[in-house]
Structure formats: C-alpha cells, structure tokens
C-alpha cells in the first residue's frame, strides 16, 4: 500500500493552522429510558470543537522490565525497522515489518471513491503520530543483563537478526529497578541483582531521578513509562493508603509494605509528568494513582496487553452473542515456557492473570438479556501451565460451547500457537504512539470555554488491553470491534468526520445509486458549516 503523502479534509468544519487542526464536531448519542414496558428513545447532539496539536516533539519510552521477552523484542523490532535490517532464515531473506500494530499495519476506512468503493488509509496517516523510528528507548530491570544478552535469553528473535542487532543492543543496559519479593514469584529471585536499594520513598526518588536523567540527556518533550515487567500479585487495597493521592504519598514516605513496586513506578512517572501504562494484570493503578494523574494532567492506562488468546475471545464471544447464540461454556487453556509463564506458575501471580482473562466477556454477556438472565454467565475456566521446553511459543487451546436453536449445541475448538512476545511488542508500540497522540487532543464546547484534555484514565486504548481501565463509574467495553470502532471514530472526529456507518446506502437506494453513477452525489458542497464560527475562533 503506497503511503498517503498528506491527508487534507476539505470541510467548513475543519481548519488547519501551522500548529493545530481544529474540528467542529457534533457528538451524537441517544438517550433511552424505560418505564415498565414503555421505552422512549431521544437522540441528542453536543456541539464540540476538537483541537489536535500537529507537532509531535521528541518522544521517549521507558520500559519497566526492559530486559524481558517483551522489552527486548520491542527494542529489537524498533531497531530492525529503524535501520531496515534484513536477515536470512531457512525460508529465505526477511525484511522487518510492524505486523500486529494497528497504527503501523492496519487501515481505517475514510469514505468512498467516485465509483463508490471503500477508501482506506493507514491509521498513522489520519493524524500526526510519532514514528516508531524516532522513539528513544530506556528502562529498568531487576536483571542486570544488557539488551543483547536479554534478547538471546528470550529466544524470540531469529538468530541472524540477533547477530545484526547485538552490537547496538549491547550498549543498552537497564537501570537498576525496584524489587519486592512479596509481589512477584519467588522463582524470580535469581534474576533480582540489579536493584535500587533503600526505602520505598528513596526508590521513588531514584526512579524520578532516572526519568529526569533520561529526559535531559535526550532533550525529550514527552516520556511514556510502560510496565512490561513481571505480573505482580494484586495489592490489598486499603483505605488510608491507596485511596487518595495524599494518603498514598504519606504511606510511601512511611515505607508502607503494601505499596507495590509497580505503584511506586507509576507515582514516580506521574510526578515527572509522564504517562504511565500498565501492560500487566495487577491492580497497580489504584485510586490514589488516578487522583495523582488527574492533578498532574497526565494519562494512566491499562491493564494487561490483549495479545492473543484473550483478543480472540473478545471477538468470538461478541460474534456468538450478537448472532443470538448463547455461549454457556468457555475453557481457555494454554501452556508456555518463557519467564512470564514461570512467574505465572505461582498461585498469586496466576490469580492476577486469571482475573483479567476471565472478566473479558462480562460486557458482551450483559448486552443480551434475551440470552442471559440477570447475573447469569457462561461457565468460564482459565488454565495456564508452565512448560519450559516451549519457551515463548505459547500453545493456546480454547473450547467455546454455545446453546443454539431448540437447545442444540455448537462447540468451537481453537488451537493457537504463537511467539507471545511477537504479539505483545506491536501492542506496546501502539499504546505509546496513541497515548502520545491523544495527549495532543483537546476539546471544548465553544470559544467561551477552556480547552480540556481527555480524562486521565485513557480508556480510548481499551482495544489494546484485556482489562481496560475507565473513568470511575464509566462502563467497561471488552468487545474488540466496539473498542476498535470507538478508536477509529475518535480519530475521525479529530478531522470532523462522522462515525463510519458502513451503511452503503449509495448501493442500496436506487436514486442514490443513480446519483453516484451520474456524479451528482458529490457535485454539491460539503455539509453546511454547523458551527464554522468556532473553527475560526479556535484559530485565535
Ligand atoms: N503476549 C505477552 O507476552 C503478554 C501479553 C499480555 C501481558 N503480558 C505481560 O507482560 C509482562 C512481561 O511479559 P514478558 O513475556 O516480557 O515477561 P518476562 O518475564 O520475559 O519479562 C519481565 C521482565 O521484568 C523484569 N522485572 C520483574 N520485576 C521487575 C521490577 N519490579 N522492576 C523492573 N523489572 C522487573 C524481569 O527481570 C524480566 O526481565 C508480564 O507481566 C506478562 O504477563 C505479556
Ligand atoms: O494471549 P492473551 O490471553 O491475550 O495473554 C497471554 C496469556 O494467554 C498467557 O497465558 C500469558 O502468559 C501472557 O502473559 C498473556 O497474558
């Protein structure tokens, strides 16, 4: 697919200045109320102006767990693509790519061409996004291995590519990290030799100093801290400790043992003005962290990369339920032999993962009261076994049994083998690229109001995680296609483009079809400027 040289929306509702894109957008929703058996439906619109800053700046990524399978694979992928390194395999010469990344390898439908065919562009063509080649990478790990040694240990990257990356990755050494054996499996202890010593508050200060050092040395405008370290046990959330920013700060200074390493990293990142993203399942982002992020005007997002088995589950269950078929039994089994699997072989760490892998069907089940009584759920079992021999090549086996017409049953059996880190690394990129972009998006009602950033809990990234965090009280959406549509339509809204409906009426309504074929459909002007004045005002 040829890269689109530049994308320009010609509309009275869009204004481009050197620094910003201003979009006048009518946000539409429908209020539904039910009383007894009477349902009333009332569409409504909210007029918004959306402003997107066009300049990206210098972006840094700091990975917690940099030396892990995901961290080393992500780094290898960035370098292989940046330097366009090809390598030889038994199947011939390979070129680098970003398959699995929605920003780099997926497309968004923009509209139709004159013949009525759908027109798609790469997601990264829609709005200014940081290019993966321009990312500056750093991070921490409790293991002292440099990134070349980590890549070899991970056994994910092809041998010939490893040889071509080794020299540069050997210069990358994870900073000492925060280790608390109470939060990850005891079997990780032998790696834990690259540590920040001292109290939890002293560790917090050191992480902040590390971030400052990274920012200053590389003259960075934005830093995103992404946790891809081992899964921790859930922390026991306690009032007076985790519930407010003030209590969390006090508890940290008091060296409270129930504050996890990941929460310390999150606080340090936020206090340095960084976005913090949790790629693991534990409950790092407690209320005190969210409150801190809100005060600092930065994003937090998570939890747990949605990479393979769970991503498929959030498609299959959505398909079954929306087809009026009733999933009644879901069994997800997998075994893997990487260090993640080793850590997850411990009960408390597995429990964290079991929670995020199990809750992913809740919204889809609750969407269909025809199939499910209130509170009724499918049987749902998650099994993860550690089998060292298979390494990063996770073997996933799923069975979905559904009730169908007249109480028949339908059973879907799925087998999925993949290098887990090759699925996760592109998601890490997308989390960084999209978080950075959405940090440049601001919204206001009109010129009489102040600009507002998006909510500190960045639920727009839900497509990329198993257990999406949302603003307190907001519904959690796990269905993959709804998550994707929400993201695509948010990006379209930044260009004053209405949500994609896929209705194709120009092929379904005869006179519209005639308009299309005669060219009359596009002869007129764009829709009237609903609120052109705000676009003009936005430029002030
Ligand atoms: N497909 C996937 O690989 C996938 C999908 C979803 C979630 N995850 C999650 O991503 C995380 C990383 O997965 P992985 O396969 O890279 O695991 P990994 O064990 O290879 O890497 C984790 C790294 O974190 C380091 N570490 C542990 N505790 C640390 C701490 N407190 N501070 C800094 N570093 C620390 C370890 O030394 C290790 O190098 C895990 O929590 C996993 O559950 C992975
Ligand atoms: O593929 P997916 O379900 O999205 O997620 C994966 C699990 O299946 C796997 O068991 C676990 O080790 C990985 O960390 C990851 O969470």
């Amino acid at each position: 697919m040829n890269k689109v040289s530049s994308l320009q929306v010609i509309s009275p509702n869009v204004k481009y200045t050197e620094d910003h894109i201003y979009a006048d957008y009518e946000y539409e929703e429908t209020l539904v109320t039910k009383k007894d058996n009477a349902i009333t439906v009332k569409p409504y619109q909210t007029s918004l102006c959306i402003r997107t800053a066009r300049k990206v700046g210098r972006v840094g990524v700091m990975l917690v767990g940099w030396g892990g399978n995901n961290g080393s694979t992500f780094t290898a992928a960035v370098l292989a693509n940046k330097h366009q390194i090809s390598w030889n395999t038994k199947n011939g010469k390979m070129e680098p790519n970003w398959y699995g990344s929605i920003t780099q390898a997926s497309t968004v439908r923009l509209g139709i061409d004159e013949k009525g065919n759908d027109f798609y562009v790469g997601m990264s063509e829609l709005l200014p996004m940081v290019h993966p080649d321009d990312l500056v990478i750093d991070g921490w790990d409790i293991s002292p291995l440099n990134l070349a040694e980590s890549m070899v240990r991970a056994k994910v990257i092809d041998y010939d590519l490893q040889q071509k990356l080794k020299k540069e990755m050997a210069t990358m050494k994870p900073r000492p990290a925060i280790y608390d054996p109470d939060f990850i499996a005891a079997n990780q202890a032998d790696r834990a030799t690259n540590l920040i010593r001292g109290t939890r508050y002293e560790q917090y200060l050191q992480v902040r100093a590390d971030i400052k050092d990274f920012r200053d040395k590389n003259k960075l405008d934005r830093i995103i801290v992404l946790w891809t370290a081992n899964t921790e046990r859930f922390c026991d959330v306690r009032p007076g400790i985790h519930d407010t920013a003030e209590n969390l700060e006090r508890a940290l200074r008091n060296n409270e043992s129930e504050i996890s390493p990941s929460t310390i990293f999150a606080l340090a990142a936020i206090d340095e003005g960084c976005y913090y993203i949790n790629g693991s399942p534990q409950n790092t982002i407690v209320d005190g962290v969210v409150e801190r992020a809100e005060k600092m005007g930065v994003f937090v997002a998570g939890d747990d990369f949605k990479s393979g088995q769970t991503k498929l589950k959030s498609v299959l269950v959505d398909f079954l339920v929306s087809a009026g078929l009733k999933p009644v039994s879901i069994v997800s089994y997998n075994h893997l032999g990487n260090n993640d699997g080793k850590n997850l072989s411990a009960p408390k760490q597995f429990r964290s993962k079991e929670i995020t892998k199990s809750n992913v069907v809740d919204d889809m089940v609750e969407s269909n009261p025809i199939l499910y009584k209130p509170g009724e759920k499918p049987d749902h079992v998650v099994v993860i076994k550690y089998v060292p021999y298979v390494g990063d090549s996770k073997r996933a086996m799923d069975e979905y049994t559904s009730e169908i017409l007249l109480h028949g049953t339908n059973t879907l059996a799925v087998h999925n083998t993949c290098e887990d880190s090759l699925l996760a690394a592109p998601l890490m990129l997308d989390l960084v690229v999209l978080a950075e972009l959405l940090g440049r998006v601001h919204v206001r009602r009109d010129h009489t109001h102040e600009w507002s950033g998006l909510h500190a809990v960045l639920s727009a990234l839900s497509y990329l995680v198993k257990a999406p965090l949302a603003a307190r009280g907001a519904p959690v959406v796990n269905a993959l296609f709804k998550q994707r549509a929400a993201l695509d339509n948010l990006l379209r809204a930044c260009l004053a483009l209405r949500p994609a409906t896929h209705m194709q009426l120009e092929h379904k309504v005869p006179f519209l079809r005639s308009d299309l074929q005669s060219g009359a459909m596009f002869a007129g002007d764009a829709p009237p400027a609903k609120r052109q004045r705000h676009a003009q005002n936005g430029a002030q």
Side-chain angles (χ1 to χ4, degrees):
M1 177 180 177
N2 296 326
K3 191 175 173 68
V4 171
S5 55
S6 71
L7 185 149
Q8 185 95 6
V9 175
I10 311 297
S11 161
N13 294 315
V14 178
K15 186 173 190 66
Y16 293 86
T17 68
E18 185 183 345
D19 296 326
H20 295 101
I21 302 169
Y22 291 92
D24 284 334
Y25 184 75
E26 296 299 323
Y27 177 63
E28 298 178 346
E29 235 327 335
T30 304
L31 176 64
V32 180
T33 52
K34 183 175 181 187
K35 190 171 182 182
D36 302 328
N37 285 330
I39 295 176
T40 56
V41 181
K42 183 189 171 197
Y44 66 83
Q45 289 186 333
T46 306
S47 297
L48 300 174
C49 183
I50 303 173
R51 182 188 74 187
T52 306
R54 303 179 74 175
K55 293 188 176 110
V56 173
R58 285 179 56 79
V59 180
V61 188
M62 297 193 86
L63 299 178
V64 188
W66 192 12
N69 284 27
N70 287 352
S72 56
T73 301
F74 171 82
T75 306
V78 169
L79 296 178
N81 279 285
K82 180 177 182 177
H83 302 309
Q84 281 301 289
I85 299 172
S86 60
W87 68 99
N88 295 305
T89 72
K90 66 185 179 183
N91 296 316
K93 184 178 178 183
M94 298 298 161
E95 301 295 338
N97 64 44
W98 272 112
Y99 291 177
S101 159
I102 57 172
T103 58
Q104 309 304 311
S106 92
T107 57
V108 175
R109 181 185 180 277
L110 260 188
I112 56 175
D113 63 19
E114 296 84 352
K115 293 179 181 171
N117 301 312
D118 283 354
F119 192 98
Y120 290 84
V121 292
M123 183 182 277
S124 64
E125 312 288 347
L126 282 175
L127 293 164
M129 297 184 194
V130 62
H131 194 285
D133 293 358
D134 299 329
L135 291 174
V136 186
I137 305 173
D138 199 321
W140 302 266
D141 202 296
I142 59 175
S143 165
L145 272 53
N146 66 45
L147 263 288
E149 295 162 335
S150 297
M151 173 174 60
V152 170
R153 173 175 61 186
K155 299 179 185 174
V156 173
I157 302 296
D158 283 338
Y159 179 78
D160 189 38
L161 178 55
Q162 286 190 35
Q163 303 318 305
K164 297 182 176 181
L165 289 170
K166 258 183 175 178
K167 185 177 181 184
E168 185 170 2
M169 289 179 72
T171 66
M172 300 173 168
K173 182 159 174 47
R175 299 168 186 260
I178 304 168
Y179 172 60
D180 183 339
D182 183 32
F183 280 89
I184 59 174
N187 61 35
Q188 298 299 309
D190 57 344
R191 294 170 83 107
T193 59
N194 187 38
L195 309 182
I196 303 173
R197 304 293 176 182
T199 67
R200 288 173 178 76
Y201 188 66
E202 289 165 340
Q203 292 169 328
Y204 155 85
L205 292 175
Q206 179 57 52
V207 171
R208 287 193 64 172
D210 290 338
I211 295 171
K212 283 193 186 79
D213 175 62
F214 177 54
R215 174 189 290 119
D216 297 347
K217 280 183 178 167
N218 295 283
K219 297 180 177 53
L220 299 172
D221 301 299
R222 170 65 61 199
I223 295 175
I224 293 155
V225 176
L226 191 152
W227 174 279
T228 183
N230 283 120
T231 295
E232 299 175 330
R233 69 167 172 82
F234 266 50
C235 78
D236 176 16
V237 177
R238 295 178 187 156
I241 295 175
H242 301 95
D243 52 352
T244 68
E246 185 181 353
N247 288 341
L248 198 54
E249 163 105 24
R250 185 185 309 112
L252 182 65
R253 290 173 181 273
N254 292 337
N255 205 33
E256 165 57 48
S257 62
E258 201 51 29
I259 297 180
S260 64
S262 60
T263 294
I264 300 171
F265 271 105
L267 282 172
I270 290 164
D271 289 349
E272 282 300 319
C274 306
Y275 303 160
Y276 185 86
I277 299 173
N278 179 26
S280 294
Q282 73 274 351
N283 59 343
T284 301
I285 301 174
V286 294
D287 287 351
V289 168
V290 173
E291 186 182 326
R292 194 81 154 221
E294 288 168 337
K295 286 178 178 171
M296 290 295 291
V298 296
F299 293 140
V300 289
D303 296 320
D304 206 3
F305 309 126
K306 183 160 74 172
S307 52
Q309 191 175 41
T310 305
K311 188 175 244 173
L312 181 65
K313 184 176 292 178
S314 66
V315 171
L316 279 181
V317 173
D318 189 31
F319 136 61
L320 290 165
V321 171
S322 60
L325 301 171
K326 182 179 181 180
V328 288
S329 162
I330 302 170
V331 180
S332 289
Y333 162 92
N334 77 57
H335 63 267
L336 70 172
N338 57 20
N339 190 58
D340 174 34
K342 183 178 180 183
N343 181 63
L344 291 172
S345 66
K348 287 182 179 178
Q349 285 65 40
F350 166 72
R351 180 59 188 145
S352 298
K353 188 67 72 171
E354 185 181 37
I355 290 169
T356 55
K357 284 175 73 77
S358 302
N359 293 350
V360 73
V361 303
D362 292 352
D363 60 316
M364 295 166 252
V365 167
E366 288 157 18
S367 73
N368 192 327
I370 300 169
L371 296 174
Y372 298 95
K373 301 183 187 70
E376 182 185 4
K377 291 184 177 184
D379 295 342
H380 193 176
V381 173
V382 172
V383 178
I384 301 174
K385 292 299 179 188
Y386 174 53
V387 180
Y389 181 80
V390 303
D392 204 68
S393 176
K394 177 185 69 186
R395 273 78 165 163
M397 288 157 235
D398 291 79
E399 184 190 84
Y400 296 81
T401 299
S402 305
E403 281 188 11
I404 62 178
L405 183 68
L406 301 183
H407 299 283
T409 57
N410 166 45
T411 297
L412 275 170
V414 180
H415 183 278
N416 176 353
T417 296
C418 64
E419 305 298 315
D420 233 8
S421 302
L422 295 179
L423 289 177
L427 307 186
M428 296 163 68
L429 175 73
D430 289 336
L431 285 162
V432 168
V433 169
L434 291 169
E436 191 282 328
L437 163 65
L438 295 173
R440 288 183 279 114
V441 174
H442 290 77
V443 186
R444 69 179 182 186
R445 293 182 187 282
D446 58 39
H447 69 288
T448 65
H449 288 75
E450 289 302 313
W451 291 105
S452 165
L454 298 180
H455 191 280
V457 182
L458 195 57
S459 54
L461 301 185
S462 65
Y463 176 96
L464 299 159
V465 291
K466 293 194 192 63
L469 297 176
R472 178 185 291 280
V476 174
V477 176
N478 284 293
L480 193 72
F481 291 131
K482 285 182 186 174
Q483 293 171 327
R484 177 62 190 261
L487 178 62
D488 287 1
N489 289 327
L490 175 57
L491 301 181
R492 290 171 61 89
C494 293
L495 295 168
L497 298 176
R498 295 170 49 72
T501 66
H502 305 294
M503 292 168 71
Q504 293 193 320
L505 292 186
E506 62 280 349
H507 298 303
K508 295 183 172 73
V509 176
F511 65 80
L512 288 180
R513 187 163 171 71
S514 304
D515 284 358
L516 176 69
Q517 289 166 338
S518 68
M521 187 166 191
F522 299 112
D525 289 331
K530 286 192 168 56
R531 296 169 56 255
Q532 186 168 353
R533 63 187 180 287
H534 301 309
Q536 287 164 351
N537 288 328
Q540 287 168 4

